[in-house]
Amino acid sequence: MQELEQFVTHFENAVEGIEPNSLTPETQYHKIAQWDSLALLCLLAMIDCEYQVQIPGMALKQCDTLRDVYNLVASRKLLEAA
Amino acid sequence: MALAALKHVRIAGVASAVPKQVVSNTDYSVIPEEQLAKIIKYTGIRYRRWAPKELCCSDLCQASAERLLEDLSWKREDISVVVFVSQTADYPFPATAQILQERLGLPKSCLAFDVNLGCSGYTYGLFVLGSLLEATGLKRGLLLAGDVSKMHGDCDPASALLFGHAGSATAMENARDTKPIYFEMGSDGGGFKVIYVPAGGCRNPVGANSFQKETLESGGSRGATDVVLDGAEIMNFTMREVPVSIKRLVEYAGRSVTDIDAYVFHQANLFINTQVARKIGIKADQTPTTLYDFGNTSSATIPLTITAQLRDRIAANSMRVVMSGFGVGLSWASTYWDTENVVCPELVEV
């Protein structure tokens, strides 16, 4: 749970214009006002920097909430470790 | 990933040329001002040089080569190889290298051919030309690299603000007593649709439908003869391949990443280059950039950055330089180079 909250904080820091502590795991990230193609690059860079994995754009499109994105990242990390 | 070293060739000079006309990204009116400012901040691209209709990449390469040969005082009859690296040849055929052989007054004994590469083209070209010189013992050669690409839709914000025009000339020669030039190269054709132009080749010839514009999620529009750019996958590819390529290269050259005086990256996007630098563990001041003034000039970005940013330092000192080209293909090539007595003329404007 703590890791999921940490992920949300990383997201808030990575994408320009988001107030700290304004999002939750259930936030539909693609519906926030700051979401655009540049925010997507920021998200991918954050995931690469903090979690050392790359998420294909198509896989990300299947994610609705930040919890979904975190779960995707966690499953990628497990795959990489296997 | 392929590692290789050239032990008996040297890079004698680098020159670059751009069109005189400057376009400013702040004049782009397809998207709101606030969004435009954000794109300029992230890409790092404010201005671009733009060629008039009659000016081709070969003209910019020729202007660079004329200036470089003059400054080197090289005799044209000593040049045995011409390699033209571009995705914007003068004609579908013949190769533009032959045309440049004649226009530059080079001997008919020259080998001349084109290489179709973009972002990775300059560093690939150094390897192709250097390998030929080393294998054959031929004395001197010219690498002519650049693009004057207008294959992006003005209506697609993903590509309309990125590309500028430039050409370059690099002189290489056989040399017994010189330091090796090291290379690390690779290809990932599975990602060819990440950066491509769908129509205009044999697979999808241009037809009446090619020019119809499709509306994009971003609000822009694009036709089949316009470039498709998938920013997210370019980012993933770059993060996956480039930092590891550069680390392997530097290790292969017997150096550590902190030994390098300058990392000259392909100039496509400031945000992505900043991430590459972070991942390698180097400081921003080790990575000269020309994105603000020139944008992405394809295979010319690396020589153009050398001309515009490193010229005085290279002329005054020996430097340890890493160059890395990455993108369309998908393809990448990184080069380690100990510079020595390099002739580097000032930027040529045509």
Side-chain angles (χ1 to χ4, degrees):
Chain A
M1 194 59 200
Q2 210 176 354
E3 287 177 10
L4 176 58
E5 282 161 10
Q6 184 68 54
F7 180 81
V8 174
T9 305
H10 285 320
F11 182 91
E12 289 171 339
N13 293 336
V15 177
E16 195 174 320
I18 299 183
E19 290 293 318
N21 305 313
S22 63
L23 307 182
T24 73
E26 309 318 320
T27 300
Q28 292 174 291
Y29 69 96
H30 53 96
K31 289 189 178 169
I32 62 175
Q34 296 84 354
W35 188 252
D36 58 17
S37 60
L38 296 172
L40 171 61
L41 289 190
C42 294
L43 171 59
L44 293 171
M46 180 277 279
I47 292 171
D48 179 79
C49 179
E50 300 293 341
Y51 301 92
Q52 295 79 45
V53 289
Q54 278 99 39
I55 302 295
M58 288 305 284
L60 200 59
K61 278 192 177 167
Q62 310 298 317
C63 298
D64 185 36
T65 63
L66 286 175
R67 180 189 297 276
D68 295 339
V69 181
Y70 172 75
N71 287 337
L72 181 63
V73 170
S75 67
R76 281 261 151 187
K77 261 200 96 69
L78 276 177
L79 268 179
E80 296 255 323
Chain B
M1 290 193 271
L3 287 163
L6 296 174
K7 295 180 178 163
H8 300 297
V9 288
R10 64 181 288 270
I11 300 169
V14 179
S16 308
V18 292
K20 283 197 178 98
Q21 192 194 345
V22 178
V23 292
S24 173
N25 278 351
T26 52
D27 295 337
Y28 189 69
S29 58
V30 173
I31 51 176
E33 214 169 287
E34 197 181 328
Q35 200 186 343
L36 188 60
K38 200 171 162 191
I39 290 175
I40 291 171
K41 179 181 160 191
Y42 275 77
T43 60
I45 301 167
R46 172 75 185 266
Y47 302 106
R48 295 172 288 128
R49 296 299 181 101
W50 205 252
K53 202 178 165 201
E54 66 279 5
L55 193 70
C56 292
C57 176
S58 66
D59 302 316
L60 296 172
C61 289
Q62 182 182 352
S64 309
E66 300 275 9
R67 178 62 198 266
L68 185 58
L69 291 174
E70 190 184 316
D71 284 17
L72 281 165
S73 302
W74 277 14
K75 289 180 188 156
R76 304 205 176 207
E77 58 265 34
D78 287 344
I79 293 170
S80 312
V81 188
V82 179
V83 181
F84 179 68
V85 177
S86 182
Q87 296 175 130
T88 47
D90 283 15
Y91 303 98
F93 60 82
T96 304
Q98 276 90 51
I99 300 170
L100 283 165
Q101 169 265 322
E102 192 275 336
R103 277 166 40 189
L104 284 166
L106 304 178
K108 286 185 182 173
S109 54
C110 263
L111 309 179
F113 59 92
D114 288 7
V115 173
N116 182 338
L117 284 168
C119 318
S120 64
Y122 182 70
T123 35
Y124 245 99
L126 291 174
F127 183 69
V128 169
L129 175 58
S131 302
L132 253 174
L133 292 174
E134 185 157 299
T136 59
L138 290 167
K139 193 174 175 185
R140 286 173 171 163
L142 288 177
L143 168 64
L144 306 171
D147 265 311
V148 173
S149 175
K150 296 178 179 176
M151 293 179 213
H152 62 76
D154 283 338
C155 300
D156 179 4
S159 61
L161 302 166
L162 305 181
F163 296 103
H165 300 153
S168 68
T170 301
M172 296 181 86
E173 65 181 344
N174 252 302
R176 286 291 115 192
D177 298 317
T178 190
K179 291 179 180 169
I181 307 171
Y182 298 90
F183 295 87
E184 201 285 338
M185 296 160 284
S187 310
D188 180 7
F192 83 91
K193 287 189 175 176
V194 169
I195 313 169
Y196 87 127
V197 177
C202 289
R203 186 67 63 194
N204 299 308
V206 171
N209 293 338
S210 305
F211 302 104
Q212 285 174 6
K213 301 278 183 187
E214 145 201 20
T215 304
L216 303 166
E217 269 179 45
S218 62
S221 62
R222 187 175 63 216
T225 56
D226 298 326
V227 67
V228 176
L229 282 177
D230 183 338
E233 293 314 319
I234 294 169
M235 175 85 176
N236 279 333
F237 158 72
T238 308
M239 290 298 105
R240 189 172 60 241
E241 305 294 355
V242 178
V244 70
S245 163
I246 290 171
K247 283 183 181 174
R248 268 171 58 100
L249 170 77
V250 170
E251 188 185 337
Y252 179 54
R255 301 288 178 195
S256 74
V257 289
T258 50
D259 290 338
I260 308 303
D261 298 310
Y263 287 85
V264 186
F265 296 148
H266 170 56
Q267 304 283 299
N269 180 305
L270 187 62
F271 180 73
I272 292 181
N273 282 3
T274 305
Q275 299 304 315
V276 172
R278 168 189 59 76
K279 211 164 168 177
I280 301 170
I282 55 175
K283 292 177 192 154
D285 64 4
Q286 283 175 281
T287 61
T289 175
T290 45
L291 279 162
Y292 190 84
D293 289 314
F294 299 106
N296 180 350
T297 56
S298 187
S299 53
T301 61
I302 292 172
L304 180 57
T305 301
I306 291 171
T307 300
Q309 293 287 329
L310 295 181
R311 193 176 155 248
D312 294 339
R313 285 172 69 193
I314 274 191
N317 307 296
S318 293
M319 292 179 71
R320 293 172 186 158
V321 175
V322 165
M323 303 175 274
S324 186
F326 42 86
V328 64
L330 297 168
S331 164
W332 70 92
S334 303
T335 307
Y336 172 91
W337 171 35
D338 282 294
T339 74
E340 213 172 4
N341 302 323
V342 182
V343 169
C344 200
E346 62 190 8
L347 183 64
V348 178
E349 292 190 305
V350 179

